[in-house]
Amino acid sequence: MRLQYAFLVLFVSILSSCSKDTLDNTEITEAKNDIEVENELLNVVNDYRVSLGYTSLQFSPVAYEYANDHNDYMISKGSISHDNFSSRASNIASAVEAEHVAENVAKDYANATEAFNGWFNSSNHKKTMEGDFTHTAVSVKKNASGAYYFTQLFFK
């Protein structure tokens, strides 16, 4: 389901952002690569949680939407932040009746493993990955110069 939703989002976002009649193969390939990094990071986080005896997190389309929006925001600012987190958390909590929401953000890592390691080596980010959550979504997007931005939202 997660992969099907991601490809649907990819297809819709490419169509809505494309001003040409045909899609550029480079745009499709880059978006596909971003989705692959998203899925890899989600799998790495879940594998880590399972190795500790925690449950795997289920993919959430609602969290994915907000993670994407936050990546767009960070890219527009040119820096990572937790700006407007209270609003994101409140919106997610309202949409899915979540008890609590958390997020990890990162920038400039070359791949999912590097982003995970960055979070793993930060006590606050590691605590979030190990938290009492049931659902998550990871958004990965590149800015115009090709630098990755990562947002992972968690909730229960």
Side-chain angles (χ1 to χ4, degrees):
M1 171 67 182
R2 177 177 70 243
L3 190 57
Q4 291 171 339
Y5 179 80
F7 279 114
L8 176 61
V9 169
L10 165 68
F11 181 72
V12 171
S13 67
I14 288 174
L15 287 179
S16 65
S17 67
C18 188
S19 60
K20 300 179 244 175
D21 289 337
T22 60
L23 297 175
D24 183 327
N25 284 337
T26 303
E27 292 173 340
I28 293 170
T29 300
E30 287 179 7
K32 180 181 171 193
N33 290 340
D34 294 351
I35 291 169
E36 289 171 354
V37 175
E38 289 172 353
N39 286 325
E40 182 182 351
L41 185 51
L42 179 58
N43 289 333
V44 170
V45 169
N46 271 333
D47 289 348
Y48 171 67
R49 288 177 57 86
V50 168
S51 77
L52 298 175
Y54 302 135
T55 59
S56 291
L57 301 170
Q58 295 178 24
F59 174 79
S60 166
V62 172
Y64 189 73
E65 175 186 342
Y66 285 99
N68 269 317
D69 289 347
H70 188 59
N71 270 346
D72 290 340
Y73 171 80
M74 292 190 301
I75 289 169
S76 74
K77 285 190 64 174
S79 63
I80 61 171
S81 74
H82 292 285
D83 292 355
N84 308 309
F85 173 71
S86 294
S87 176
R88 259 188 314 290
S90 178
N91 289 336
I92 291 169
S94 293
V96 297
E97 298 181 15
E99 295 172 19
H100 57 281
V101 179
E103 77 180 354
N104 283 345
V105 297
K107 173 182 178 268
D108 293 334
Y109 292 107
N111 55 51
T113 301
E114 286 185 14
F116 171 81
N117 287 333
W119 289 338
F120 181 82
N121 291 317
S122 162
S123 61
N124 286 336
H125 293 98
K126 183 178 178 183
K127 182 179 175 183
T128 299
M129 290 190 298
E130 296 173 354
D132 183 22
F133 300 107
T134 56
H135 291 79
T136 192
V138 177
S139 171
V140 176
K141 290 188 175 188
K142 288 181 185 174
N143 67 8
S145 62
Y148 278 123
Y149 284 73
F150 302 83
T151 299
Q152 183 168 15
L153 287 162
F154 303 80
F155 69 83
K156 177 178 181 179

